[in-house]
């Protein structure tokens, strides 16, 4: 799942080298992804009215549902 | 005949001028002033350029299509933890059809997950300058089947509205589904469609138009 998040985000930002993702388990079923990107890329992963961040979260929720889990994507600013 | 002599004259003059040219060519070559030829733009020069450019374009577009297909393949495979067996990309329509076993989660409830993937794909394609068109994804013909199903509902409900001469209120639907109903029934002169309420509860009402 981390690979999916990393792949999508790296293709959308200007500074793929500065994409950092940490993965934490909360309980048995929840995975929290903390996403850090370069400051000038924040807008790219959030998008207008948060649409990009929302789409990323929907895709990540789908991926985790398939694996019997739920996921939370936190964008660190 | 005088015509013949003038013809012969013309030919010999032409041959002479050719010889003259060749001499000049050799002179230019020997003097190493061939450089002047580079600036000389001949038809051949253009043709070559155009050919190369076209060739470059098709290679480039093919590469772009492959990148789009690879992106979709990879994202869907990672979401579903399954394999994508087929990706067909209709470049002129901007439509991508994806097939494979066990891809249901990539579609999601009411196609919600597919919509999110489509949104991200379009961001990617725009960012990398891969397509000028808005791209749409369909997984295992979901949209196609949905279109047919909604079209059938529209026709059935319109029939009911006409037969019973009363308005039919449909359940709330997302915008693209409502659009299908409006489109399908716009051809029908016996009914009129309208949308009511705010999203996400917006629903269609089909009104029968009075017969004369």
């Amino acid at each position: 799942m981390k690979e999916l998040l990393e792949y999508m985000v790296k293709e959308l930002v200007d500074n793929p080298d500065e994409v950092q993702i940490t993965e934490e388990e909360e309980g048995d079923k929840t995975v929290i992804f903390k996403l850090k990107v370069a400051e000038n890329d924040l807008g790219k992963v959030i998008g207008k009215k948060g649409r990009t961040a929302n789409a990323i979260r929907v895709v990540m929720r789908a991926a985790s549902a398939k694996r019997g889990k739920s996921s939370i994507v936190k964008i660190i600013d | 005949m005088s015509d013949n002599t003038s013809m012969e004259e013309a030919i010999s003059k032409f041959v002479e001028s050719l010889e003259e040219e060749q001499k000049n060519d050799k002179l230019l070559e020997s003097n190493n002033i061939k450089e002047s030829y580079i600036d000389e733009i001949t038809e051949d020069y253009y043709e070559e350029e155009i050919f190369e450019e076209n060739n470059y374009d098709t290679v480039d577009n093919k590469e772009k299509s492959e990148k789009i297909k690879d992106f979709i393949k990879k994202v869907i495979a990672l979401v579903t933890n399954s394999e994508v067996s087929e990706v067909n990309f209709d470049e002129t329509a901007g439509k991508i059809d994806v097939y494979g076993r066990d891809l249901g989660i990539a579609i999601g409830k009411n196609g919600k997950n597919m919509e999110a993937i489509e949104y991200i794909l379009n961001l990617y394609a725009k960012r990398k300058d891969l397509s000028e068109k808005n791209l749409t994804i369909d997984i295992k013909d979901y949209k196609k089947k949905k279109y047919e199903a909604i079209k059938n509902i529209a026709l059935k409900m319109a029939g009911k509205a006409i037969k019973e001469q009363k308005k039919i209120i449909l359940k709330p639907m997302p915008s693209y589904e409502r659009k299908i109903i409006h489109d399908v029934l716009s051809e029908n002169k016996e009914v009129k469609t309208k949308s009511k309420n705010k999203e996400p509860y917006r629903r269609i009402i089909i009104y029968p138009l009075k017969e004369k």
Side-chain angles (χ1 to χ4, degrees):
Chain A
M1 280 197 285
K2 191 182 167 190
E3 189 191 350
L4 171 64
L5 182 60
E6 196 171 324
Y7 179 66
M8 288 191 294
V9 171
K10 281 191 171 176
E11 294 290 5
L12 299 181
V13 297
D14 287 333
N15 307 288
D17 294 342
E18 287 182 51
V19 173
Q20 282 175 35
I21 298 165
T22 57
E23 192 178 347
E24 281 169 35
E25 299 250 349
E26 198 184 76
D28 294 340
K29 295 208 161 168
T30 309
V31 188
I32 303 170
F33 294 99
K34 287 182 180 168
L35 171 65
K36 222 175 161 182
V37 297
E39 219 181 304
N40 57 337
D41 280 331
L42 260 176
K44 289 207 177 62
V45 291
I46 294 170
K48 275 179 207 145
K49 291 186 184 174
R51 282 189 75 182
T52 308
N54 187 45
I56 290 172
R57 289 186 176 117
V58 170
V59 174
M60 289 305 291
R61 271 203 290 272
S64 49
K66 177 77 186 192
R67 292 150 178 96
K69 297 199 171 193
S70 65
S71 71
I72 297 169
V73 178
K74 286 184 178 171
I75 299 167
I76 311 294
D77 60 357
Chain B
M1 281 181 78
S2 63
D3 262 3
N4 259 342
T5 40
S6 66
M7 184 77 92
E8 267 170 39
E9 254 175 36
I11 289 171
S12 64
K13 254 189 195 161
F14 178 60
V15 171
E16 256 174 44
S17 73
L18 271 184
E19 280 168 356
E20 191 70 21
E21 243 176 65
Q22 274 177 354
K23 258 188 228 161
N24 279 342
D25 281 0
K26 271 188 189 143
L27 199 70
L28 280 172
E29 260 177 61
S30 62
N31 286 346
N32 262 344
I33 36 175
K34 239 187 143 183
E35 258 177 65
S36 62
Y37 273 72
I38 293 168
D39 287 334
E40 199 177 314
I41 294 164
T42 62
E43 242 172 76
D44 283 353
Y45 178 89
Y46 268 125
E47 268 173 25
E48 208 172 305
E49 260 320 83
I50 290 162
F51 171 71
E52 271 180 13
E53 212 169 282
N54 281 343
N55 205 24
Y56 176 77
D57 259 13
T58 47
V59 168
D60 205 38
N61 283 338
K62 216 175 174 183
E63 236 169 65
K64 285 178 177 183
S65 297
E66 284 307 312
K67 276 187 179 166
I68 287 171
K69 282 159 87 173
D70 286 348
F71 183 84
I72 257 322
K73 225 177 189 171
K74 180 145 191 193
V75 169
I76 292 179
L78 284 169
V79 168
T80 59
N81 206 10
S82 180
E83 243 174 75
V84 173
S85 57
E86 200 183 330
V87 180
N88 299 326
F89 183 17
D90 177 349
E91 283 94 342
T92 28
K95 197 172 172 296
I96 302 153
D97 280 295
V98 183
Y99 299 95
R101 284 183 59 194
D102 215 12
L103 303 182
I105 195 74
I107 300 170
K109 201 178 172 193
N110 284 322
K112 190 184 165 204
N113 299 344
M114 188 162 69
E115 240 175 84
I117 294 170
E118 193 177 278
Y119 185 77
I120 292 170
L121 171 75
N122 276 291
L123 284 180
Y124 166 74
K126 220 170 280 171
R127 239 193 84 69
K128 307 272 171 167
D129 202 18
L130 301 177
S131 175
E132 285 160 18
K133 287 201 184 66
N134 188 43
L135 302 169
T136 57
I137 305 171
D138 200 0
I139 301 172
K140 294 178 104 171
D141 295 328
Y142 173 85
K143 280 184 188 168
K144 208 168 156 190
K145 284 176 189 159
K146 185 112 190 175
Y147 178 88
E148 287 304 320
I150 290 167
K151 189 180 161 187
N152 285 336
I153 290 170
L155 295 175
K156 207 169 137 191
M157 289 302 147
K160 197 177 172 192
I162 295 161
K163 197 179 163 198
E164 296 176 10
Q165 282 297 304
K166 64 175 191 189
K167 66 180 182 187
I168 305 285
I169 304 167
L170 301 179
K171 68 177 174 69
M173 289 174 177
S175 62
Y176 73 91
E177 292 185 24
R178 293 198 308 272
K179 189 181 182 305
I180 296 169
I181 294 187
H182 286 306
D183 287 351
V184 167
L185 295 183
S186 68
E187 294 158 16
N188 191 329
K189 298 275 184 289
E190 290 175 86
V191 293
K192 175 174 89 172
T193 55
K194 270 195 174 162
S195 292
K196 224 181 156 183
N197 296 345
K198 287 221 157 72
E199 300 279 11
Y201 304 107
R202 207 160 166 79
R203 49 171 87 216
I204 284 184
I205 304 172
I206 305 172
Y207 298 93
L209 293 177
K210 279 183 186 133
E211 289 169 82
K212 271 187 182 174

